Amino acid sequence: MKCLTKLPDGYQERLTVDLQKDKKMAVTVNGIALGLLAVLAFIGNLMVPITTLFHGWNIVIMVLGTVVYMVLHELVHGLCMKFFGSQTVRYGFTGLYAYAGSKEYYGKRAYLIIALAPVVVWGIVLLVVCAWVDIQWFWGIYYIQIANLSGAAGDLYVTYVCSRLPKDILIQDSGVSMVVYHRTDMEHGVSEELNG
């Protein structure tokens, strides 16, 4: 399940996901994010009135916590890339999105883990913290959970796209765009190399 440093023979580009260049796709992903934000805010308000957001240090916790969370989210992507064999992971910020990227090619299963790991890891951590903190601090922490889940709309979108593709695809994620390659040469043994 280790990544590959070179695209094998018999593979060609199938699709590209680039939210900076594809405005329609960016609108779709941002729409998903806003929908998740609204639903999660509604659910949070049922648990603890949103008016408590303006008590104490909640605003400071929200702002600083969200910035720290964005860094930790991308760090988890990067650690997963390293786990699957990436030699170099690049981190950056585009003005709209923070990212972790690599030049390597990942198999489908590895890439789905890379894409979903931050939302799962931080989702569990933030759920525990929300349940543990005093009610007056709930919205400060819960807002970070909202950022975790709604901010992962891009990760959820590419997971959905990749999950519908054949198991032998290869994905290269530079951080700002993702290119999916598929096998055109059925005799090539790359699937065994990736899964073995």
Side-chain angles (χ1 to χ4, degrees):
M1 229 171 31
K2 294 294 185 187
C3 64
L4 302 173
T5 57
K6 182 180 165 226
L7 187 65
D9 292 337
Y11 273 78
Q12 68 180 20
E13 185 175 327
R14 178 168 182 155
L15 67 94
T16 299
V17 175
D18 189 334
L19 298 180
Q20 304 239 2
K21 292 182 181 173
D22 187 335
K23 300 304 179 199
K24 183 178 176 184
M25 190 182 303
V27 167
T28 299
V29 169
N30 287 320
I32 293 167
L34 287 173
L36 285 169
L37 188 146
V39 168
L40 293 167
F42 177 78
I43 291 169
N45 189 54
L46 294 176
M47 294 184 285
V48 176
I50 198 166
T51 54
T52 61
L53 170 66
F54 304 103
H55 294 280
W57 290 88
N58 276 326
I59 299 292
V60 173
I61 292 169
M62 276 176 34
V63 172
L64 293 178
T66 301
V67 171
V68 170
Y69 161 76
M70 286 171 43
V71 171
L72 294 174
H73 177 101
E74 297 309 324
L75 184 60
V76 171
H77 280 312
L79 290 172
C80 287
M81 288 175 172
K82 286 283 199 183
F83 176 79
F84 288 112
S86 183
Q87 297 300 309
T88 304
V89 176
R90 292 180 316 279
Y91 298 93
F93 188 73
T94 65
L96 289 175
Y97 308 103
Y99 66 86
S102 169
K103 292 181 181 178
E104 282 85 9
Y105 302 87
Y106 301 94
K108 179 177 178 175
R109 189 174 355 148
Y111 189 74
L112 293 177
I113 292 169
I114 291 166
L116 292 176
V119 74
V120 171
V121 168
W122 296 118
I124 292 169
V125 169
L126 291 165
L127 181 66
V128 169
V129 174
C130 279
W132 177 75
V133 296
D134 191 274
I135 198 166
Q136 67 181 344
W137 308 111
F138 173 82
W139 270 98
I141 302 301
Y142 186 68
Y143 180 82
I144 302 167
Q145 180 72 295
I146 290 173
N148 174 47
L149 298 173
S150 65
D155 296 332
L156 297 173
Y157 178 78
V158 298
T159 297
Y160 171 76
V161 169
C162 289
S163 68
R164 299 173 56 94
L165 296 173
K167 67 179 183 177
D168 59 355
I169 60 171
L170 293 174
I171 300 112
Q172 184 183 47
D173 188 342
S174 69
V176 294
S177 66
M178 177 192 82
V179 182
V180 178
Y181 299 90
H182 73 283
R183 270 174 64 179
T184 56
D185 175 7
M186 298 310 287
E187 299 301 315
H188 204 275
V190 173
S191 291
E192 292 77 19
E193 185 178 340
L194 286 169
N195 296 319

